[in-house]
Amino acid sequence: MKVSGFTFIRNAVRNDYPIVEAITSILPLCDEFIVVVGNSDDGTRGLIEGINSPIIKIIDSVWDESLREGGKVFAVETDKAFAAISPDADWCFYIQGDEMVHEKYHPLIKKEMQEALNKPNIEGLLFKYLHFYGSYDYYGHSRRWYRREIRLVKNIKGIHSYRDAQGFRLDDRKIKVKLIDAYVYHYGWAKPPKGLTNKVRNFNQFYHGPNWEEQQPPETYEFDYGNADRLIRFTDTHPQPMQKRIAATNWNIEFDPQKIKKNMSFRRKLLQKVEDLTGWRVSEYKNYKIVER
């Protein structure tokens, strides 16, 4: 069984993406790793080279600045990485620049890949998600946060990144997946206020059309942590590659989870109660078709 990791990245230093940690969090499961590095001016390529792994292959890329609306450029860059995967690869493991997989899940993930390898009805593996928010001590858990997404796909012709690269499709249909009991830790919103303000500004330019400059937040804009709906304290351990970054944390944010929860509308509170009691998320968007659990 051959496993190929793949990702894309651009200006990781400027935007504070833990791309090295992301890659190394799944590197032990991979036989090769494709990294598409976009045109950066902050030493991002050097970061990837610094991992110093013989299985990493770097592909230089120039982003199409016209593909701003809806985050389309992210999917294009993801597809470039996917296209560079060796033809003899069985599984393709995708990780984004602000995501990680805890090493405690490695044995389970390897087992699930082996068991699903010769099952044609399973085209991908679906991961659960923890979205860290504001700090490394809290994660968001409500309808505002997606619960699951595909991160392992078989090397099937026709698979491509979908919309803004959150997930994948096979030609024009949803991929048939097995839901596995492993989590992706998402750190994109675990930043100090200034970092999150910069993130909002950066994302605006890749999610809006030609007039994106007009939709940028004003210079006086300050990120509001109160829009998380519900925050839960994290009491487990973080992935080993993330430990050094967490130890160097230089900001402190005090949350009042109950106050944040009070900001939820009555409808959101009601639907959240249904989910808490039954596990059913009403009208949940699913970019996949679960065929096995």
Side-chain angles (χ1 to χ4, degrees), residues 5-264:
F6 67 113
T7 190
F8 74 95
I9 192 67
R10 181 188 182 191
N11 287 329
V13 178
R14 181 194 301 172
N15 295 306
D16 193 30
Y17 279 106
I19 183 62
V20 171
E21 295 90 336
I23 292 170
T24 54
S25 78
I26 66 169
L27 200 59
L29 292 169
C30 300
D31 300 290
E32 70 171 356
F33 206 110
I34 310 299
V35 184
V36 170
V37 178
N39 45 310
S40 304
D41 54 14
D42 61 353
T44 293
R45 199 182 200 280
L47 280 182
I48 309 304
E49 292 171 339
I51 298 174
N52 197 28
S53 171
I55 71 170
I56 290 179
K57 177 183 178 182
I58 298 176
I59 296 175
D60 294 303
S61 173
V62 176
W63 284 27
D64 185 345
E65 300 291 341
S66 70
L67 301 177
R68 294 187 182 275
E69 197 162 2
K72 176 63 177 175
V73 68
F74 302 147
V76 169
E77 297 302 307
T78 298
D79 284 341
K80 288 180 183 178
F82 187 75
I85 287 171
S86 297
D88 62 341
D90 298 296
W91 285 100
C92 309
F93 203 152
Y94 181 56
I95 196 83
Q96 293 194 345
D98 56 6
E99 297 178 340
M100 270 163 249
V101 174
H102 199 295
E103 58 274 8
K104 68 182 179 181
Y105 295 117
H106 287 187
L108 171 68
I109 294 169
K110 189 171 183 178
K111 175 175 173 288
E112 294 285 4
M113 286 192 291
Q114 289 171 334
E115 291 181 355
L117 183 60
N118 296 314
K119 292 183 177 181
N121 65 311
I122 297 177
E123 298 162 339
L125 297 180
L126 187 68
F127 285 72
K128 301 174 183 179
Y129 264 73
L130 285 180
H131 299 275
F132 290 92
Y133 188 81
S135 79
Y136 302 118
D137 297 322
Y138 290 90
Y139 62 93
H141 182 72
S142 72
R143 295 174 59 84
R144 191 180 290 274
W145 308 91
Y146 55 93
R147 294 194 297 172
R148 304 160 179 163
E149 196 48 86
I150 302 168
R151 283 297 174 262
L152 267 164
V153 292
K154 288 181 177 175
N155 195 10
I156 301 172
K157 186 178 181 180
I159 284 182
H160 60 90
S161 186
Y162 186 63
R163 290 186 177 173
D164 63 350
Q166 182 175 312
F168 296 89
R169 289 286 174 97
L170 176 52
D171 295 325
D172 294 320
R173 68 165 174 82
K174 295 180 179 181
I175 291 175
K176 293 179 284 187
V177 299
K178 179 181 180 181
L179 174 62
I180 65 174
D181 195 22
Y183 283 82
V184 169
Y185 291 16
H186 177 215
Y187 292 101
W189 296 99
K191 299 178 185 294
K194 184 178 180 180
L196 286 173
T197 298
N198 291 339
K199 177 186 175 81
V200 171
R201 288 199 173 99
N202 181 56
F203 264 53
N204 267 9
Q205 66 179 305
F206 294 112
Y207 275 90
H208 299 297
N211 300 321
W212 65 271
E213 294 96 337
E214 299 173 8
Q215 302 181 51
Q216 287 288 57
E219 290 299 321
T220 56
Y221 169 79
E222 290 186 10
F223 187 83
D224 178 15
Y225 286 101
N227 63 2
D229 277 357
R230 187 170 71 160
L231 295 174
I232 297 174
R233 189 163 190 90
F234 182 67
T235 58
D236 205 342
T237 62
H238 289 272
Q240 191 280 328
M242 195 65 179
Q243 296 294 335
K244 185 176 179 180
R245 182 179 284 257
I246 292 174
T249 300
N250 61 357
W251 77 92
N252 183 39
I253 297 171
E254 294 295 331
F255 289 111
D256 183 348
Q258 293 306 314
K259 184 177 180 180
I260 290 175
K261 188 176 179 181
K262 286 180 181 178
N263 293 333
M264 293 174 67

